[in-house]
Amino acid sequence: MIEPCLALLFGLLIGSFLNVCVYRWPRDLSVVRPRSHCPACEAPIAWYDNVPLASYAILGGRCRHCRALISPRYPLVELLTGGLFFLLVYRYGLTLFAGKMCLFTAMLVALFFTDLEERILPDEFTVWGTVAGLVFAVFAPTPDMTRFVFGVVGLDSQGWITNLAAAVVAAGLPAGVLWLAGWLYSKARHREGLGLGDVKMVALLGCYLGLEAGLFTLILGSVAGSVLGFGYIKATGKDLSTYELPFGTFLSGAALVIVIFSKQVLGW
C-alpha cells in the first residue's frame, strides 16, 4: 500500500497545480508567473496557505486577507486527482500504464471544470495531451479491438508501429465522425452546433482509452449531456436554442466513469 499512498500524495500536489491551470489557461495567463494570489484581493498566497486540502480546511474556505470565499472547486480537484492516482496505482501497480492513465485522468479532471466554468477546452490539455498519449501508446498501449482488426486483415498485430497506429485510429476515427456530424449540423441549421474543442477532446479520449472504449465514452457522454442538460435547461427556464451545454464536461465525466470501472466494464 506504500506506492498507492505515495501516488495519493503526488495526486494532491498535481491537483493543486491543475487548479492553477483551470483558472489561468482559459484566461490566456501564464501558470508560472505571477505566483498564486487571491482572485478577489490579489494578495499573494503564502506556501502554508497552499497546502492541498489542509489549507482550505484550516482557513474555512476563505482568503486569509480579505475573507472572500474560496471556490470549493479547489479542494474538490485536489481530492479527485489524489483519489484517482491512488486507485490507478493500486490497480495497475507502479507501471508505465498506470502513469499514462494518471496523466489522462488528471487532464480529464481539469477539462471537466474548465468547460463547466468557462466553456473552454484548452489546447494545452487536448492537443498536447493527445501528443503525449501517442508517445505513451508506443510503450504502454491500451487494450482494444484495433489490433485484432489489424490481424484479421493480415497486418502485424504486435510491435510499436502497431501500437502507434492503433492509437492514431482510436483518436482520429471518433474525432472525424464527430467533426462531420458538427459540420452537417452547421450546414443544416446555419449555426455552430459543436465546437472544435469537443472534437479535439474526443481525439484525446480515443488515444488513451482505445477505439471501443472511446466510442462508448462518446455515447455515454452524449446521452448524459442530452438527459441532464435538457433537464437543467427546463428546470432553470433557459432558452434551449441558445444555451451552450458544456459537452466537454459530460465527456470528461463519462471518461472518468469508464476509467474507474474499466476492470468491470472492459476487463483491463
Side-chain angles (χ1 to χ4, degrees):
M1 289 292 291
I2 295 179
E3 292 173 347
C5 290
L6 292 175
L8 169 64
L9 295 176
F10 183 65
L12 292 175
L13 295 174
I14 294 298
S16 181
F17 174 70
L18 290 178
N19 276 316
V20 177
C21 299
V22 169
Y23 179 81
R24 296 192 182 188
W25 274 343
R27 295 171 173 81
D28 291 325
L29 300 174
S30 169
V31 296
V32 179
R33 295 185 180 86
R35 59 178 291 187
S36 296
H37 58 275
C38 172
C41 67
E42 298 188 353
I45 299 176
W47 68 267
Y48 49 79
D49 286 337
N50 213 17
V51 179
L53 296 183
S55 294
Y56 186 89
I58 293 170
L59 293 172
R62 292 182 178 274
C63 171
R64 181 183 293 275
H65 303 279
C66 67
R67 305 308 295 166
L69 287 173
I70 301 172
S71 171
R73 183 251 296 164
Y74 286 86
L76 182 57
V77 167
E78 294 165 354
L79 186 60
L80 276 173
T81 308
L84 288 164
F85 278 33
F86 176 91
L87 173 66
L88 290 166
V89 173
Y90 177 78
R91 181 178 293 171
Y92 302 115
L94 200 61
T95 61
L96 194 57
F97 183 77
K100 168 184 172 179
M101 300 312 294
C102 283
L103 172 64
F104 178 53
T105 54
M107 292 187 291
L108 289 178
V109 170
L111 288 166
F112 182 98
F113 287 100
T114 57
D115 202 38
L116 182 64
E117 295 180 4
E118 303 294 338
R119 301 298 192 272
I120 292 176
L121 298 168
D123 286 349
E124 289 86 348
F125 289 126
T126 56
V127 175
W128 292 109
T130 301
V131 172
L134 294 176
V135 174
F136 266 113
V138 173
F139 307 101
T142 300
D144 74 348
M145 61 182 283
T146 312
R147 276 173 207 77
F148 173 75
V149 175
F150 285 169
V152 170
V153 298
L155 299 175
D156 184 13
S157 60
Q158 302 294 330
W160 72 267
I161 295 179
T162 301
N163 294 340
L164 180 60
V168 170
V169 170
L173 184 59
V177 171
L178 189 64
W179 176 85
L180 179 60
W183 181 80
L184 292 174
Y185 179 90
S186 65
K187 291 299 181 181
R189 299 294 299 273
H190 304 291
R191 63 186 179 90
E192 185 179 11
L194 188 69
L196 189 59
D198 297 318
V199 176
K200 297 174 186 176
M201 182 169 180
V202 169
L204 176 76
L205 299 180
C207 184
Y208 284 85
L209 293 175
L211 183 57
E212 65 265 41
L215 290 172
F216 186 40
T217 300
L218 178 58
I219 294 171
L220 181 60
S222 300
V223 171
S226 299
V227 175
L228 298 177
F230 180 75
Y232 174 79
I233 291 173
K234 295 297 289 183
T236 56
K238 296 184 181 295
D239 185 359
L240 181 62
S241 63
T242 59
Y243 184 74
E244 182 183 359
L245 279 173
F247 187 44
T249 295
F250 292 106
L251 287 177
S252 298
L256 287 171
V257 170
I258 296 299
V259 171
I260 291 170
F261 296 101
S262 59
K263 186 174 182 180
Q264 295 84 354
V265 176
L266 304 172
W268 289 359

